[in-house]
Amino acid sequence: MFQTIGAASAKEKDHVMATLVAGLEIEFGRGAGEALAARFLEAEESDFLWDARVSERWLGAYPAQDEENFELDRVAIMGRLDGRWFVAVSIVDGDGNPHGLMGQREFGSERAAREAFAVTH
């Protein structure tokens, strides 16, 4: 069965990370899974956070670089990944594909994340 991170519940999102770690341990040996999962998350952080979002809010246009021929937007996102709540500002194209992050913070509770999300600009 295939399911995107974004379509999963908060409990299932934690399970996604546990499954990733377990799969990496099967492939690369016991103890390697957590370290490799952390590297995957770091390398693809923008994509993982975008897929794990539970709320989003458009903040405005993002100035395109000279070589880019498409428009980008700044979008505040809030979600849960690997057992932690986060709020981030993502750079997203018109098709909903993330192109990077302007910043990200983690929170110990959903309530704290929602409060930060409400004032993110």
Side-chain angles (χ1 to χ4, degrees):
M1 181 174 123
F2 174 79
Q3 182 179 25
T4 65
I5 295 172
S9 69
K11 184 177 179 181
E12 290 170 327
K13 288 175 187 178
D14 292 341
H15 180 70
V16 167
M17 292 306 300
T19 302
L20 173 61
V21 170
L24 290 168
E25 285 184 348
I26 289 169
E27 184 70 26
F28 297 103
R30 192 166 188 89
E34 282 191 38
L36 288 171
R39 298 284 296 253
F40 282 17
L41 279 172
E42 183 180 323
E44 302 294 332
E45 181 179 36
S46 181
D47 291 321
F48 275 101
L49 294 178
W50 181 254
D51 286 343
R53 74 194 185 283
V54 295
S55 295
E56 65 182 76
R57 183 168 38 86
W58 185 77
L59 299 175
Y62 180 77
Q65 305 300 319
D66 295 334
E67 67 276 358
E68 294 177 358
N69 293 326
F70 53 90
E71 294 181 23
L72 298 172
D73 294 306
R74 292 181 325 111
V75 178
I77 59 174
M78 184 197 80
R80 182 179 165 115
L81 183 64
D82 197 18
R84 287 169 270 174
W85 287 93
F86 67 85
V87 172
V89 176
S90 186
I91 305 303
V92 182
D93 67 24
D95 293 327
N97 299 311
H99 287 260
L101 292 172
M102 294 186 71
Q104 183 244 341
R105 293 174 38 201
E106 292 183 355
F107 299 89
S109 70
E110 180 180 4
R111 180 179 177 184
R114 287 198 181 280
E115 288 172 2
F117 179 72
V119 297
T120 299
H121 55 279

